[in-house]
Amino acid sequence: RYILDSMADDLAKFVITSPHRKSAKALVEHGFVLLLGEPASGKSTIAASLALGAIDIWGCSTLKVKDAHEFKKHWNLDEPKQFFWIDDAFGPTQYVRSSVDNWNACFPHLQAAIRSGARILFTSRDYVFKSALHDLKLSAFPLISNSQVLIDVHTLTQDEREQMLYNHLKLGNQPRSFKATIR
């Protein structure tokens, strides 16, 4: 309900893109995906779409947690169908060392959760993740490296861009004069 309430407008305008399909595939194949991209590139909207899809498709309970401590608090070994969304896993606008230290300590829990059927999605701004790489224990959780999807708005197809523009104009609150000028 939180996801729908907080992101309903964005989800109404959502267009399935190649990064979305790659993210869904990574969740199916690996149980984990790390969405990377520039600010406002659509990471959270893709994550919200996948979180809602996890409810429908896999029958998962979906939780948006803010850090490793909340993940450990809410992960339930007896409930294998859980979907965890961790937005800005390594810091919201800049790298936060304590977040990485906490995730490094939590990696065994993440692996156990995935083995038991949980699906986990991290988002991070690309430059924050690049800074975090120096301190991440990649050998303790190889999926961080092996299950990444980079969202690059510059590589969206013409069809994807046109559909996004159409949805934003149709469902947006722009004045009629603006829409007439654009048309």
Side-chain angles (χ1 to χ4, degrees), residues 103-125:
W103 283 117
N104 283 336
C106 189
F107 285 160
H109 299 279
L110 289 177
Q111 289 180 335
I114 291 167
R115 275 194 308 271
S116 72
R119 290 180 167 81
I120 300 167
L121 183 149
F122 278 19
T123 68
S124 180
R125 293 178 179 202

Side-chain angles (χ1 to χ4, degrees), residues 61 70 84 114 121 163:
S61 61
E70 277 195 14
F84 291 94
I114 291 167
L121 183 149
Q163 188 62 54

Side-chain angles (χ1 to χ4, degrees), residues 3 50-52 54-55 60-64 81-85:
I3 295 167
L50 292 168
L52 292 174
I55 295 168
C60 290
S61 61
T62 299
L63 298 150
K64 184 176 180 185
K81 291 186 174 185
Q82 289 182 291
F83 183 95
F84 291 94
W85 170 15

Side-chain angles (χ1 to χ4, degrees), residues 9-10 13 19 24 28 39 46-47 62 95 109 111-112 116 124 128 132 142 146 148 167 179 181 183:
D9 289 340
D10 290 336
K13 298 171 191 160
V28 168
I46 289 173
T62 299
Y95 169 54
H109 299 279
Q111 289 180 335
S116 72
S124 180
V128 172
N146 301 336
Q148 295 178 11
N167 287 359
K179 288 182 179 181
T181 303
R183 198 173 308 135

